[in-house]
Amino acid sequence: MLERLFKLSEHGTNVRTEVIAGFTSFLAMAYIIFVAPSMLASTGMDHGAVFVATCLAAALGCLIMGLYANYPIALAPGMGLTAFFTYTVAGQMGVPWQMGVPWQIALGAVFLSGVSFFLLSAFKIREWIINAIPASLKTGIAAGIGLFMAIIALQGSGIVVDAPGTLVTLGDLSSPAALYALLSFFLIVALSYRKVIGAVMIGILVVTLLATLTGNNDFHGLASMPPSMLPTFAQLDIAGAFNLGMVSIIFAFLFVDLFDTSGTLIAVSQQAGLTNERGHLPRLGRALMADSSATMAGSVMGTSNVTSYIESATGVAAGGRTGLTAVVVAGLFLVSLFLSPLATSIPAFATAGALLYVACLMTGGLARIDWNDITEAAPVVIATLVMPLTYSIANGIALGFISYAVIKLFSGRYRDLSPGLVILAVLFACKYLFLDGAL
């Protein structure tokens, strides 16, 4: 049965190798079952319900990827997208919604972005959108999301605090939260450098244990029956998300998810040798359906956008070549449903180190920017800086598009502009000029 489903011999693998690869991928990405509920709970969502939704949405995405697309790529709610949901959409959207929108409306926006992703994949518009965006802006947006996550981690652990005169300043580094956050970060980086499997999760758990032993954290237990998902199940407000002011938010969810998933699929499939002679990924449409379907289901259950995880590369490195690897990851996420007490025991300062580590990985792409071409570099700097400084991924994407189009036009480099990018830049400019003041 497994041979028929996954074509193991055709891919030069076996059940034992695929199972080991599944465990490896899961250990590398399991931190999300601790981080996502902790972040989303700050919006008013029930921690236990979000924990269950996170595990179930991840398991569903992995099952679809494994059984339908037959790829060794695991999915779960994305770290950057969860941060965007928490701290921009449902937290602080800036003028005029200082307190953000209710999390129910934010879930509605996630659902609509999933539907949009599904339709784009079904009608093959995805290629047009991806090709419309220059590589430098894609890199800048990824780096900006990394810096956005970094400032969230630094602020949440008290390392960076607000200051009336300078907006931000250094906090009290002698506080337990700051010290443990830094320790978590240092551990994760060191373990990752030594290529220790599950480095992120190990760093989080070690700091949690130390904080508990020193009286700086409360331990709620290890395992129990899963909590109820009713507080968040089917609570999304789709009608509220149709508000005109949410258009850019839905687009930001879609845009980040689209490029995050596409980039991960390409990178992991190339590593696994799954691309064809033209460098294309067979069954790409099926893989994208896994992402969009899990996102829609996850929003109904109560979590943010589900996306493909680059940590799947660890499973591929362990020999994973088929969807059986993803199915094993799905099973482990289902087993994790019984670890809710442990998840509620993880303090925010322990996960801050994980956020900082992921931020380092995401900003590394800036090395690929052609800094000698100021027309390419300047829009990247704008997009990268605007995200953390305005606490908004959407603002960074929008101003990145606008600045790229205007700079290229004024520089006489209009041939570098694609029609799709110009259209998006004009739409973003119209939003800021004519719509923001009315919302």
Side-chain angles (χ1 to χ4, degrees), residues 309-377:
Y309 262 59
I310 194 62
E311 284 84 352
S312 302
T314 61
V316 167
R321 292 294 182 271
T322 75
L324 181 55
T325 295
V327 171
V328 171
V329 176
L332 292 172
F333 270 115
L334 293 177
V335 172
S336 299
L337 286 169
F338 299 94
L339 299 179
S340 175
L342 177 60
T344 59
S345 301
I346 304 296
F349 53 71
T351 59
L355 289 174
L356 279 175
Y357 170 70
V358 175
C360 292
L361 298 181
M362 297 184 72
T363 52
L366 291 175
R368 298 192 297 269
I369 299 299
D370 182 5
W371 295 102
N372 294 318
D373 185 349
I374 192 63
T375 66
E376 292 287 332

Side-chain angles (χ1 to χ4, degrees), residues 107-304:
L107 285 177
V110 170
F111 178 83
L112 292 177
S113 72
V115 172
S116 302
F117 197 169
F118 185 90
L119 294 175
L120 290 178
S121 301
F123 291 101
K124 299 183 179 181
I125 306 174
R126 176 190 61 84
E127 288 83 359
W128 179 83
I129 295 178
I130 292 177
N131 293 334
I133 314 304
S136 59
L137 264 188
K138 296 175 188 175
T139 302
I141 289 168
I145 295 172
L147 293 181
F148 178 57
M149 293 168 63
I151 197 167
I152 289 169
L154 294 171
Q155 191 176 33
S157 56
I159 297 173
V160 170
V161 296
D162 62 315
T166 59
L167 294 182
V168 293
T169 189
L170 187 66
D172 181 9
L173 294 184
S174 65
S175 68
L179 289 173
Y180 281 122
L182 291 173
L183 177 60
S184 173
F185 174 65
F186 296 154
L187 275 174
I188 291 171
V189 171
L191 292 172
S192 176
Y193 173 75
R194 292 175 175 272
K195 301 188 184 305
V196 175
I197 299 300
V200 176
M201 189 174 67
I202 292 172
I204 292 173
L205 294 178
V206 168
V207 167
T208 299
L209 177 61
L210 290 175
T212 302
L213 293 176
T214 56
N216 292 298
N217 183 51
D218 296 326
F219 183 66
H220 303 135
L222 181 62
S224 72
M225 293 299 294
S228 172
M229 196 171 59
L230 290 179
T232 60
F233 183 73
Q235 297 299 311
L236 70 168
D237 183 355
I238 298 176
F242 272 110
N243 184 294
L244 187 61
M246 294 295 293
V247 171
S248 63
I249 300 300
I250 295 171
F251 178 78
F253 274 133
L254 171 64
F255 186 89
V256 175
D257 197 2
L258 179 65
F259 287 105
D260 193 9
T261 296
S262 300
T264 298
L265 288 172
I266 292 170
V268 176
S269 60
Q270 286 178 342
Q271 180 185 347
L274 299 174
T275 53
N276 58 25
E277 62 278 359
R278 298 175 59 190
H280 295 166
L281 186 63
R283 307 184 306 281
L284 175 61
R286 293 191 176 194
L288 294 173
M289 291 296 184
D291 185 297
S292 55
S293 300
T295 290
M296 290 186 285
S299 66
V300 174
M301 291 185 279
T303 192
S304 54

